[in-house]
Structure formats: C-alpha cells, structure tokens
Amino acid sequence: ELRTAIDKAQQSGGGTREGAAEALDSMIASNAMSAGDAVGMLPAVTKAASAANADPTQLANIGIRAMQTFKIKPEDMPNVMNMALAAGQAGGFELRDMSKWLPQQMAAATASGLSGKAGFAKLAALNQAAAITAGTKDEAGNNVVNLLAKLNTEDTANDGKKMHVDLRAYLLKKRAQGVDSVDAFGELVSSTVGKRTDYQALQKQLKSAKTDDDKRTTLESMSMIAQGAGIGKW
C-alpha cells in the first residue's frame, strides 16, 4: 500500500520516488498524523515541491509542524500547501525558503496568537514583507523569528513601560478582540508615529511604490522615523 501511494504521488506530483518515500517516512515517523493521513497528504507535498523545486521532505516538515503547532487538520493541508506556493510566487521568499524557516517560526508564532489556516497565511505574508528589507532570504526568515520571539519577552515589556505603555495588558486586550500580537504591535507603532506628517507622506509613497527597491527605501525611511519616536528601543 505504501509503495502504491509513493508511485501515485510521484506520478501525479513529479519528483523522484526516493523523495516521495522520504517525505512519507517523515510524516509517518512524526506521530503527528496517521499513516492514512500521511498517504493522503503526500500528493500535495510532491506537487508543491515539484512546482517550487523544493525538497519534499522539507515541505512535509512544514505540514508536520503546521499540524502540531497551528492545529491545522490533515484535510486542510493541500490548501495550506497552495497558500505557501502562492505566497512564494507572489514575493521573494520562496517555498524552499519557507520549508527552512516556517517550522521554527510557527513554534514562535503560537505565543503571538497565530494559529490555523489564517495564521499560516499571515506568517507566509510576514515572510514576504521581511524579504523586501532583508539582505538575504535567511536574514528575512531570522528577522521574523526574532520579531515573533521578542513580542512576548520580559525585556520588551520593560521597554514598553519606559514609554508609558503596559505592553502585555495592551496585547492581551487586543487578543481578546481577536487581534494577534503582530497586528497589535503594528497598530501600536502606527498610533505612536502615525500622526507625524512625514510618516504619513511615506505611507502614501509606500502604497504607490512599484519595485522592491522603492519599497525598501521607503520602509527604511519609515523605520528611521519610528526609531526616532522611541520605537527603536523595543
């Protein structure tokens, strides 16, 4: 049965039998899903891997971590793979980069209120945004990990107090309203510097930017303004 599943996944999704076999082995060995669920997920894994020229085993690890940390159901995994593939095609952080960074990002993201398919989509978009300003894809992935990890640290909370902001109370209030920590922190930054005319002008400029270089330059200028307003201490 496993041999038949591997052959079918390789024939429908491309790649090699060895790659499909390794991906299936990783999913079954993880104990995150049943053998039947692993077999059901395999065609989506091999197809996405072939489309993005990525390692199917690494993609399988995305699926494993998505189920373990984001509580995504096995039947939703083909949709999640398509979401990741679409994000990689739309931005500079491609599927092979996601397969490397998403597992540890998802572990950090759960503490920020991200979960499920919506949380996965948010994380994929966050990586694309990070890739615009980072020097390399690995730097972008690491920046997202650091952001997610820093949102809920004692140091960040203490820095917030210096600016007369009870960050934890604010984040908890926003979480109760259905807003995750990433969006809540973004709203806090915007409310802190959003009234400045120079920042507002750059926001308009960012919306009309057509190239990544233009976006990068504008975002760097916005970052400098935010740091000048005290956000850089966080």
Side-chain angles (χ1 to χ4, degrees), residues 31 82 108-109 127 130 142 147 155 161:
N31 291 322
N82 286 335
N127 277 307
N142 192 54
L147 170 65
D155 288 342
K161 291 178 182 178

Side-chain angles (χ1 to χ4, degrees), residues 1 45 47 61 134 143 166 185 233:
E1 290 176 3
V45 170
K47 185 179 296 184
N61 288 334
N143 286 346
D166 188 339
F185 194 79
K233 295 179 182 179

Side-chain angles (χ1 to χ4, degrees), residues 61-147:
N61 288 334
I62 291 179
I64 292 167
R65 296 295 178 266
M67 293 178 65
Q68 290 175 329
T69 59
F70 271 28
K71 309 304 179 185
I72 292 176
K73 298 177 181 179
E75 58 266 28
D76 290 329
M77 285 312 304
N79 183 231
V80 166
M81 291 293 176
N82 286 335
M83 290 161 62
L85 185 59
Q89 291 173 337
F93 201 82
E94 299 180 2
L95 201 57
R96 65 174 68 91
D97 305 308
M98 293 185 218
S99 66
K100 180 178 181 179
W101 285 101
L102 274 176
Q104 57 181 303
Q105 289 174 352
M106 284 190 285
T110 53
S112 297
L114 297 178
S115 64
K117 290 192 293 183
F120 187 91
K122 178 67 174 291
L123 196 53
L126 194 59
N127 277 307
Q128 303 306 331
I132 294 175
T133 54
T136 66
K137 307 298 174 59
D138 283 342
E139 183 181 338
N142 192 54
N143 286 346
V144 172
V145 171
N146 289 338
L147 170 65

Side-chain angles (χ1 to χ4, degrees), residues 39-56:
V39 167
M41 283 174 54
L42 188 60
V45 170
T46 56
K47 185 179 296 184
S50 296
N53 193 28
D55 183 346

